[in-house]
Amino acid sequence: MMAAACAGSAPPAKTAREVDEAPPAKSAKAETPPAPKVEKEKEPEPAVSKEPPKPTSKEAPLHPAGHGARLYAAVAPKKDAVVVKKDRLRAGILKDVTALAKRLKRPRPKADARLDAAMNDLAHNLRGDDLPALEVVDFLLTHYGIAEPSPHLLLSRATAGADREIRTQALKEIAAVYKTDPVARVGIGIDRTGDLMYVVVGLQETHLALEPVPRRLAHGAGTPISGKLIGRYRQARVVVTSPDGKVAEQDPSPREGWVRGSVACAADGRYQVEVTADDASGTAVLANFPVFCGVDPPAVAPRGAGTRQTRVSAEAAEQDVLALVNRDRAAAGLGAVTWDPRLADIARAHSRDMADHDFVGHVSPRTGTALDRVHKGGLTPELILENVGRAYSAQEVESGFMASPGHRANVVEPRATKLGVGVVLGAPVTGTIPLYVTQILTD
C-alpha cells in the first residue's frame, strides 16, 4: 500500500501595497511556491463549514528531535551542525534529484542537514492523511536556523520496505515542481518505526545569501540584517514586526543586489523579520524569521504536527476571512472593515486567474497589477492593498498573513475601511483542495 500527497508550502504567498495619487507605492509579500501542477480531476462538491481546521487528535505539541540553532545563515555554521541518521532511501531520492537537475540543465540542488532534520520531525509526527500545520513547519525551519519561507512539501506513506515505489513517486512529483520553480535546497525526512513508513521531502528555493543573524539577542542589543540577492531579485528591504505588533519597513538598501537593515531590541520579546525584494511579478518575501530579544526562543512547537482539511465552500471561506481580518484588526485596536461586493468580484477574478494558470502573484500577464484590476473594475480609491496566497483553509491563510510583517501591515492598515475577498478552489491534489485567496483592502 502506498499513498502520496503534494502539499505546496502553506503560508500565503504575496502582498502588494499600492497608493494612487498619494504616497509612493509600498510592497511586501511572503513567497509560497505553488504546489506542483497535477492533472486536474473533477472537483468534488464541498460541504459548507464555518470551522477552521483542527488537529486530527488531541496531540501534544511537537518536540523537535534536534537542538535549536544559534544563528540563521545561508549555510549552517559548524556549531549549529545537525546530524541526521543515514538512510538508503534519503540517499536515493537525493541522487534522483541531482540527476534530474543535470538532465534539465538546472543548478544542482544542495542537501541541507537542517532541512533534513525539519522534514524528519514532520515524518515522525504526521500520521494518516494529516497535512503539516503551517505553524509547525515555520517553527521547525527557524528552530534549525533556516530563514527562507516554507518549501514545497511532498508527503508519502507506504508499507515498510516500499522504498522503490516511494522513490519512483517522489521523482515524478519533484519533476513537476521543476517545471515551475527552481530548487536550491533539498531536505528528506523518513520514519520507519512502524508498519507504515512516512516520508516527507522538502524542496526549497533560495534567493538570498543571508549573513549570519543570531536567533537570540541580549536585552537592549541589536544586530545587522545583511546579505546578497541571488538571481532575478532587486530593491531589497527589511520589514520588522516588533513585540507590540507594530510594523516598520526600513529604507531599501542603497547598494543594488544587497540587503541592508537592522533589528534593535527596544523592548524584550519576539521581533519578526522579513526580507523582501522585487521581480517581474511584484514583491516577494525571501526570508521571514523571528529574533528573540531578552527571552529564549521556544523549544517546543506551538501545536502538534498535523492538521486535516475541513471542506468548505468558496463563499463560506470568503466570509471566514472577513471575520478573521476584523478579529485581527480589533486585536490591533482598529475598527472593522466592511464587505465590498465590487472588490470581492475583482478579487475572485484574480484568484481564478491564479488557480487556472498555477501561480500566486500580483502581476498577471492577463490583467496587470492590483491597481490595474481595481481601476478596470470602475473603482478609484486612493489606497489599494492586496494580499494573495494559497492555503488549505481560511484560518491558515489569515494566520500566514499575520505571521508576515508585510502582510500584517496591510491587514492592520488604519486607513483601510473596505475589504473584498476572493476564494477559488484549486484542482484537488490527492484529495486535498487548495484555496487560492485574494484580499483587497481600500479606503
Side-chain angles (χ1 to χ4, degrees):
M1 180 190 80
M2 186 177 102
C6 302
S9 47
K14 301 186 179 182
T15 169
R17 295 170 68 87
E18 297 195 41
V19 183
D20 187 23
E21 298 176 354
K26 294 183 179 179
S27 252
K29 70 184 178 184
E31 173 104 340
T32 298
K37 186 176 278 187
V38 298
E39 188 171 341
K40 293 189 177 182
E41 309 165 18
K42 186 176 179 181
E43 198 168 281
E45 189 69 29
V48 176
S49 169
K50 286 289 183 180
E51 294 298 317
K54 297 177 180 178
T56 55
S57 64
K58 294 181 180 179
E59 55 185 336
L62 182 148
H63 288 251
H67 63 80
R70 296 177 309 107
L71 301 169
Y72 300 106
V75 179
K78 289 184 179 180
K79 288 186 178 181
D80 282 348
V82 178
V83 178
V84 177
K85 184 180 178 181
K86 291 183 179 180
D87 190 288
R88 62 184 180 277
L89 179 56
R90 179 181 290 109
I93 293 174
L94 183 60
K95 181 180 179 181
D96 293 341
V97 176
T98 301
L100 175 65
K102 184 176 181 181
R103 287 199 305 274
L104 297 175
K105 298 182 179 179
R106 303 285 184 86
R108 177 179 176 177
K110 296 179 180 179
D112 192 309
R114 300 171 300 172
L115 194 54
D116 283 342
M119 298 302 101
N120 236 29
D121 285 337
L122 290 176
H124 280 263
N125 287 277
L126 291 172
R127 287 297 176 266
D129 294 325
D130 285 357
L131 294 172
L134 165 64
E135 305 99 312
V136 175
V137 176
D138 289 345
F139 165 80
L140 288 172
L141 292 177
T142 58
H143 176 79
Y144 290 112
I146 295 175
E148 289 85 357
S150 295
H152 291 274
L153 298 177
L154 311 179
L155 316 176
S156 300
R157 71 180 188 275
T159 51
D163 291 30
R164 180 177 297 177
E165 290 84 352
I166 285 186
R167 188 170 165 181
T168 299
Q169 179 66 30
L171 182 59
K172 290 179 181 178
E173 294 173 349
I174 293 167
V177 174
Y178 262 106
K179 289 181 180 179
T180 56
D181 294 294
V183 176
R185 183 183 289 154
V186 180
I188 303 162
I190 301 170
D191 177 25
R192 297 181 182 273
T193 56
D195 294 336
L196 291 178
M197 56 188 295
Y198 288 80
V199 179
V200 182
V201 179
L203 307 173
Q204 195 164 42
E205 298 181 41
T206 59
H207 300 289
L208 171 66
L210 183 70
E211 295 180 4
V213 177
R215 289 182 69 216
R216 186 190 189 281
L217 294 173
H219 172 78
T223 184
I225 305 296
S226 60
K228 185 177 181 181
L229 299 181
I230 300 171
R232 64 185 185 270
Y233 288 97
R234 56 185 176 78
Q235 274 299 97
R237 293 171 296 276
V238 174
V239 189
V240 179
T241 300
S242 55
D244 62 5
K246 294 181 179 178
V247 180
E249 181 176 309
Q250 300 177 13
D251 292 335
S253 171
R255 186 179 177 188
E256 189 60 45
W258 289 82
V259 176
R260 287 290 182 269
S262 64
V263 174
C265 296
D268 288 347
R270 174 179 175 142
Y271 291 74
Q272 191 70 26
V273 181
E274 192 169 68
V275 177
T276 72
D278 298 336
D279 69 355
S281 67
T283 302
V285 170
L286 308 188
N288 189 11
F289 55 93
V291 172
F292 297 88
C293 290
V295 297
D296 291 330
V300 178
R303 51 162 294 163
T307 187
R308 192 161 295 172
Q309 185 179 37
T310 300
R311 293 293 175 85
V312 62
S313 70
E315 294 79 7
E318 290 173 356
Q319 293 305 308
D320 287 346
V321 172
L322 171 65
L324 292 167
V325 166
N326 281 330
R327 175 204 67 185
D328 293 334
R329 288 178 64 85
L334 299 172
V337 289
T338 58
W339 182 262
D340 189 304
R342 295 176 298 174
L343 289 175
D345 286 342
I346 296 166
R348 287 187 198 109
H350 186 57
S351 291
R352 171 55 62 192
D353 186 15
M354 293 193 297
D356 287 347
H357 297 93
D358 194 22
F359 81 103
V360 178
H362 300 293
V363 181
S364 166
R366 292 156 292 279
T367 64
T369 67
L371 188 67
D372 296 330
R373 291 187 287 273
V374 171
H375 284 181
K376 287 175 184 176
L379 304 176
T380 57
E382 290 187 348
L383 177 73
I384 300 172
L385 311 175
E386 182 182 74
N387 289 344
V388 299
R390 183 178 64 183
Y392 296 105
S393 71
Q395 178 70 54
E396 189 175 66
V397 79
E398 180 66 12
S399 295
F401 285 150
M402 293 303 288
S404 157
H407 292 90
R408 180 187 180 91
N410 286 351
V411 172
V412 299
E413 168 58 58
R415 294 173 294 167
T417 59
K418 299 177 182 179
L419 172 68
V421 180
V423 174
V424 170
L425 306 183
V429 182
T430 59
T432 303
I433 301 175
L435 309 182
Y436 287 81
V437 182
T438 302
Q439 292 179 347
I440 304 176
L441 298 102
T442 68
D443 55 0

